[in-house]
Amino acid sequence: MPGRELMNVAALLAVCQTCLQQGGLMIETPFVERRFKLDGSELIVRFFTPSKASGGEFQCRYVIGWPEREVRRYACGEDGIQALMLAMRTVHSDLIESDAYKAGRLTWCDQADLDLPPTWGVGPLYDPPPQPRPAQR
């Protein structure tokens, strides 16, 4: 099953990152990436495995490979999933605020929708369960 194989590869990469840490230097390998089209070339965004930082929060590092520069940042969360979601949301905001996107030169699958989660985490965290109705007499 291809999805399971990819999950196993991602888990293996996370273990390898930990094993390769020496003297504070860590060799990073992204675990997911997205390739956008920009002026006929590729703009690649890479997300790295979220990890626990020294302050207890989780960090998800990411890289946006603009043609003229590489932007390296990270987002923090209470756990790895929240850190990844916030990193994806931040990348989405950065991309749609770019001059290239506003001019229609940045696309994914030949569409303006970049298919990143811009609204995850917006609004209530969950819908409360319905309240039971009072018994009728």
Side-chain angles (χ1 to χ4, degrees):
M1 183 175 227
R4 184 171 291 158
E5 290 171 0
L6 289 176
M7 288 179 6
N8 290 340
V9 169
L12 179 60
L13 288 174
V15 170
C16 288
Q17 286 177 357
T18 303
C19 295
L20 292 172
Q21 186 173 5
Q22 294 180 353
L25 177 65
M26 183 182 288
I27 299 172
E28 295 181 304
T29 304
F31 80 103
V32 292
E33 67 180 30
R34 165 127 329 142
R35 294 172 181 266
F36 300 94
K37 291 288 183 196
L38 174 61
D39 296 332
S41 297
E42 286 189 332
L43 179 142
I44 303 172
V45 175
R46 293 182 171 102
F47 296 92
F48 298 88
T49 304
S51 59
K52 196 166 193 176
S54 59
E57 76 280 8
F58 282 78
Q59 293 181 351
C60 182
R61 292 175 310 285
Y62 61 88
V63 175
I64 303 174
W66 293 102
E68 67 278 0
R69 71 190 183 289
E70 185 176 86
V71 176
R72 293 180 157 269
R73 294 191 182 128
Y74 63 89
C76 295
E78 288 293 317
D79 59 22
I81 292 175
Q82 185 182 45
L84 174 61
M85 288 174 26
L86 292 172
M88 292 174 72
R89 185 172 175 196
T90 303
V91 166
H92 182 267
S93 294
D94 288 351
L95 294 179
I96 64 170
E97 290 299 319
S98 71
D99 291 339
Y101 181 81
K102 290 176 181 177
R105 300 180 357 247
L106 176 64
T107 61
W108 185 67
C109 293
D110 296 323
Q111 297 180 21
D113 181 359
L114 302 181
D115 198 32
L116 287 172
T119 58
W120 287 4
V122 175
L125 293 177
Y126 64 93
D127 292 325
Q131 297 297 316
R133 292 181 172 212
Q136 292 183 353
R137 296 183 186 172

